[in-house]
Amino acid sequence: MSSLLSALTGEVTPDFRVFVVAGVLDGQTVGSAVEGEREPPAGRIAAGHDGLIIRTAYRPYWEMVHNRFERWDGPPPVDDWEELWTGRLTLTSGLIGAEAWAAESSHDMEFDLGQGDTTWSTRVATKVLRTEHEPDFPDAIARIELYKIQFWT
């Protein structure tokens, strides 16, 4: 059974419901997801060899989504979260970051994977937390999107 080695939870403010997950080099996110080589996905995820572009399911309330980066020593256990994508990412840096897709500023969160020049097995899963429906009120007055981005070699 695999073990969780490290984790970081933080918030990202998507731009037009889109945010990126990419390597960080010299304080900036780098790679195909942030350098215009990939377009935002028609569905939920566009994956390149070195980064992801993720479209949120809804327009985020409070203008943010919550991410959790996790590093495992093997494949993480499957849970009840909705799996959006599983594949391989090649990262030259040992750092991974998340930021709004069209960000003009620095990334919102940064996670140290502990080793660079590595091709990582990666899984992206999501869960949406929402209030219960009440008659005569809009459905899901409060809705928060959670994303787990899990890495292992």
Side-chain angles (χ1 to χ4, degrees):
M1 180 168 192
S2 300
S3 297
L4 179 65
L5 299 175
S6 59
L8 172 73
T9 303
E11 291 79 31
V12 174
T13 304
D15 199 11
F16 305 105
R17 291 184 40 208
V18 179
F19 67 98
V20 299
V21 173
V24 175
L25 190 60
D26 297 327
Q28 299 294 316
T29 52
V30 295
S32 61
V34 294
E35 294 170 3
E37 297 172 35
R38 290 231 161 271
E39 290 296 317
R44 298 291 304 280
I45 294 215
H49 71 282
D50 61 354
L52 304 167
I53 304 175
I54 302 171
R55 181 179 304 279
T56 64
Y58 304 97
R59 182 179 176 271
Y61 285 87
W62 302 288
E63 303 301 323
M64 69 179 65
V65 296
H66 300 270
N67 285 337
R68 179 173 167 90
F69 289 129
E70 297 178 347
R71 180 169 180 212
W72 290 78
D73 64 0
V78 175
D79 57 23
D80 64 344
W81 288 50
E82 176 189 358
E83 186 174 312
L84 295 178
W85 181 82
T86 298
R88 311 264 300 157
L89 292 180
T90 300
L91 302 171
T92 55
S93 167
L95 299 175
I96 191 88
E99 68 181 23
W101 173 63
E104 295 293 326
S105 60
S106 63
H107 45 280
D108 293 323
M109 57 186 300
E110 182 176 291
F111 181 60
D112 187 352
L113 289 166
Q115 65 189 59
D117 294 319
T118 303
T119 299
W120 296 91
S121 294
T122 308
R123 178 186 304 147
V124 179
T126 187
K127 180 182 271 192
V128 178
L129 304 177
R130 64 183 90 209
T131 56
E132 295 180 26
H133 180 73
E134 284 291 327
D136 303 322
F137 287 91
D139 185 33
I141 287 176
R143 180 175 44 224
I144 298 172
E145 289 186 53
L146 308 176
Y147 291 87
K148 282 194 296 192
I149 299 103
Q150 302 168 312
F151 298 90
W152 68 97
T153 53

